[in-house]
Amino acid sequence: MNADQISELSGILVPLFVCVVLPVAVILIAAWQKINQDNKRTQVLMKAIESNCDLDTDKLIEALNSSDKRKKRTPRERLSQRLMRGCICSGIGVVLLAIALINYCSGLEFSSDPVCLTSIIGGILLAVGISYLIVYRTFRNQISQMEAETVEVTVKEVD
């Protein structure tokens, strides 16, 4: 094989590995992790059942299932995560748009990669960040209303 054939082959294989093999590997690793976690929970339950101790298996199952991080988050924590993601995405988007504007003002054509690519990625990140901030504001108002209703109900029950 000569150098032209090797460069042509690498030009085909690199995108193939990045677009096909890498996503499949990520999915396999995530699935393996979930299966491994389920197997560990099953082993703990089996040992608890085999030991015949006065352990309530229903409570043990509930405790093992409640260890999932997503189920533990309160509405306030989810709200603060949306705010954080919105600020990060918006900030990165603004920085990338500023870099694109600086590159454009320095004399580069708009179709060049330093201007076009950074403006596209910056615009997408800015839009995603703004959408997270809109969701944050909407749910903040809803959570405040829910908390106010909860306080009113508890006050009425106390009276």
Side-chain angles (χ1 to χ4, degrees), residues 74-86:
T74 64
R76 284 276 180 202
E77 290 172 341
R78 281 187 258 149
L79 194 65
S80 65
Q81 284 236 315
R82 288 182 180 138
L83 176 64
M84 180 185 65
R85 289 177 186 157

Side-chain angles (χ1 to χ4, degrees), residues 2-156:
N2 60 20
D4 292 334
Q5 290 175 335
I6 292 174
S7 69
E8 184 178 323
L9 186 61
S10 67
I12 294 170
L13 288 178
V14 170
L16 183 69
F17 279 115
V18 170
C19 294
V20 176
V21 176
L22 186 62
V24 170
V26 168
I27 290 171
L28 286 176
I29 290 170
W32 176 77
Q33 180 184 8
K34 180 71 173 159
I35 290 170
N36 193 20
Q37 185 179 21
D38 289 341
N39 287 342
K40 285 182 181 179
R41 286 182 185 162
T42 304
Q43 288 176 354
V44 168
L45 286 174
M46 291 299 288
K47 291 206 185 228
I49 291 171
E50 289 172 0
S51 67
N52 288 332
C53 59
D54 295 332
L55 186 66
D56 189 9
T57 56
D58 292 333
K59 288 183 180 180
L60 181 61
I61 291 171
E62 191 175 305
L64 288 174
N65 288 337
S66 69
S67 66
D68 192 16
K69 290 180 182 177
R70 291 185 184 259
K71 293 180 183 176
K72 280 187 171 182
R73 291 194 183 128
T74 64
R76 284 276 180 202
E77 290 172 341
R78 281 187 258 149
L79 194 65
S80 65
Q81 284 236 315
R82 288 182 180 138
L83 176 64
M84 180 185 65
R85 289 177 186 157
C87 290
I88 290 172
C89 288
S90 297
I92 293 172
V94 166
V95 167
L96 287 176
L97 287 173
I99 290 171
L101 184 64
I102 290 169
N103 285 335
Y104 183 69
C105 290
S106 68
L108 291 174
E109 293 182 17
F110 184 77
S111 61
S112 65
D113 282 343
V115 178
C116 184
L117 190 62
T118 54
S119 64
I120 290 172
I121 294 173
I124 291 171
L125 283 174
L126 184 62
V128 168
I130 289 172
S131 68
Y132 267 119
L133 294 174
I134 290 170
V135 170
Y136 165 77
R137 183 172 177 159
T138 304
F139 281 110
R140 183 188 65 186
N141 294 338
Q142 288 180 355
I143 288 176
S144 298
Q145 290 172 355
M146 287 173 38
E147 287 177 350
E149 290 174 3
T150 306
V151 169
E152 289 177 9
V153 169
T154 55
V155 169
K156 288 180 182 178

